[in-house]
């Protein structure tokens, strides 16, 4: 009969609907799984830097004195005692200009405390370089970056470092220490630039092997420790990634045409670094004072512009160590 196929399929449908033809799974009920955005890690990525120059101290002088706290920093630093000497004349002004512009004296042509570039010759046919500093390049990328410059040298603070948001001229190294500690404890700077001059002053007056230089370095070493303590005591410290870049203008008196310039030093500290002497790495990294500008720009995720002709980035080789 023709009704049989219809009845057959009807019975199959009833059986399947009753669950006899399939595996039954427990009912999980209503699952409350609202959308939750990923954890905000931007605060953990916030990079900051303390830049310190101990003017006029050669690497061999620092290694002879071995200031206690700087020795502690080396345990978590990439460092070198072989910072190449710049083309003469070597002065503090020329060296600071090299560090901040990323170019050597042949390019920036800044030699004295005016911090203005000197024309190539009296005809003035060759344009004077513009000499934009790393501070200007940082602000060109973001006006939100807060830069503080603290030093006892008026023209350094208000001319070469004029792009700093906060500029403080101190009476001496002790004043620089006090102002830096205050800024690190109570304010929110991204980059703090400091200069210490007493060790070089003692060397010029008494000779760089004199005990007064060691005493001055010991005092500066204590100031650096205080600044580091201020950083570590910041309420937001655990959400910050600090680089400390410690260097010198040059190893010597800083007087014009000084023939006794020795290699300088550069120490890059980060709490996650494993120690390494950059000069003895394979391959070795040849460091110049002009590299300071490049490291500043890299640390704040700013592309190094073409006008930075001589400075090179090398801290990026250790990205896996300080990245969070």
């Amino acid at each position: 009969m023709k009704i049989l196929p219809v009845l057959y399929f009807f019975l199959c449908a009833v059986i399947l609907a009753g669950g006899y033809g399939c595996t039954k799974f427990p009912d999980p009920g209503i699952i409350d799984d609202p959308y939750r955005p990923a954890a905000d890690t931007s605060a953990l990525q916030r990079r900051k830097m303390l830049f310190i120059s101990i003017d006029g101290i050669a690497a061999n002088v620092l290694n002879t004195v071995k200031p206690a706290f700087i020795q502690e920093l080396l345990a978590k630093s990439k460092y070198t005692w072989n910072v190449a000497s710049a083309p003469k004349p070597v002065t503090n002004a020329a060296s600071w200009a090299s560090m901040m512009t990323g170019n050597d004296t042949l390019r920036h042509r800044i030699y004295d405390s005016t911090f203005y570039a000197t024309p190539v010759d009296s005809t003035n046919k060759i344009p004077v370089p513009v000499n934009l500093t790393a501070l200007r390049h940082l602000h060109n990328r973001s006006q939100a970056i807060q830069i503080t410059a603290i030093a006892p040298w008026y023209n350094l603070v208000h001319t070469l470092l004029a792009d700093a948001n906060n500029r403080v001229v101190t009476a001496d190294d002790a004043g620089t220490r006090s102002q830096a500690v205050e800024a690190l404890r109570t304010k929110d700077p991204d980059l703090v630039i400091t200069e210490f001059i007493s060790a070089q002053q003692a060397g010029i007056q008494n000779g760089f092997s004199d005990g007064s230089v060691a005493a001055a370095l010991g005092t500066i070493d204590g100031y650096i420790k205080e600044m580091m303590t201020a950083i570590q005591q910041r309420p937001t410290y655990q959400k910050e990634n600090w680089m400390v870049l410690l260097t010198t203008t040059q190893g010597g008196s800083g007087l014009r045409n000084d023939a006794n310039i020795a290699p300088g030093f550069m120490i890059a500290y980060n709490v996650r670094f494993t120690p390494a002497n950059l000069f003895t790495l394979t391959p070795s990294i040849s460091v110049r004072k002009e590299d300071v500008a490049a490291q500043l720009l890299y640390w704040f995720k700013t592309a190094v512009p073409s006008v930075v002709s001589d400075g090179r980035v090398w801290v990026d080789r250790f990205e896996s160590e300080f990245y969070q």
Side-chain angles (χ1 to χ4, degrees), residues 41-48 144 146 188-190 234 236 239-242 299-301 324:
T41 59
S42 59
L44 297 176
Q45 304 292 335
R46 190 173 183 188
R47 295 182 179 182
K48 292 176 176 287
Q146 292 296 304
D188 194 25
D190 296 298
R234 290 171 55 82
T236 53
K239 297 181 179 181
E240 298 168 345
N241 194 354
W242 281 87
W299 189 246
F300 292 104
K301 301 180 181 180
Q324 320 191 44

Side-chain angles (χ1 to χ4, degrees), residues 251-267:
S253 71
L255 302 178
R256 193 174 179 88
N257 292 314
D258 190 326
N260 299 314
I261 300 297
F265 62 89
M266 195 174 296
I267 300 168

Side-chain angles (χ1 to χ4, degrees), residues 107-118:
R107 294 185 192 274
H108 63 63
R109 302 194 59 77
I110 293 174
Y111 304 118
D112 60 35
S113 60
T114 65
F115 287 100
Y116 291 126
T118 302

